[in-house]
Amino acid sequence: VVCLPTHRFNNATMTSPASKRPRTGSADKELSASSSSSLLDPITPSILQKGEQLATLYQKASPYPHAVIDNFCVDGFLESILTELKHNSKVKFKETDLFRVYQSIDLGNLKDGSELAA
């Protein structure tokens, strides 16, 4: 289930999160590639064919614009991601009086060519 808010919070009541480094132009070009691109391989083919229908459902949904997309990824894809993360991620256990979490590095801010980005 994916929920996408369409409103913005007033800066007086909320502080914005730390900014991430901007995407490079090449990443944007890859995302707009045709359906034969390996970036789109994990997406169920029928979802790609329903783009306009899903956009309409999103816009007309109530009480706020949202969409529920069942079977978004092909079978086994998310399980393979979970397995890869479990075997290849370096995390640190952190514990406070409120939380017990495993914290990883900030994957969104890795520099290209970094040993961790490979």
Side-chain angles (χ1 to χ4, degrees):
V1 176
V2 176
C3 181
L4 301 172
T6 59
H7 62 281
R8 300 213 184 260
F9 292 103
N10 182 343
N11 286 339
T13 60
M14 296 286 293
T15 58
S16 59
S19 63
K20 300 204 178 231
R21 70 183 166 98
R23 289 183 180 219
T24 60
S26 62
D28 294 335
K29 289 176 188 171
E30 290 175 14
L31 290 175
S32 64
S34 69
S35 62
S36 64
S37 170
S38 63
L39 288 175
L40 299 177
D41 288 348
I43 300 173
T44 305
S46 62
I47 299 297
L48 296 173
Q49 297 166 357
K50 296 179 185 176
E52 294 295 324
Q53 178 186 5
L54 290 170
T56 302
L57 289 172
Y58 172 82
Q59 293 167 352
K60 293 183 178 183
S62 178
Y64 52 86
H66 69 280
V68 176
I69 304 174
D70 294 321
N71 302 316
F72 181 76
C73 295
V74 295
D75 290 340
F77 176 72
L78 294 177
E79 289 84 1
S80 67
I81 295 286
L82 179 61
T83 302
E84 186 173 338
L85 285 171
K86 283 182 178 179
H87 290 93
N88 298 318
S89 295
K90 294 180 182 177
V91 295
K92 293 179 182 176
F93 180 73
K94 303 248 178 165
E95 185 174 14
T96 69
D97 57 339
L98 298 175
F99 301 102
R100 299 176 76 184
V101 297
Y102 290 94
Q103 183 179 15
S104 69
I105 61 170
D106 184 359
L107 301 174
N109 283 324
L110 287 178
K111 301 241 187 287
D112 290 337
S114 165
E115 177 183 318
L116 296 172

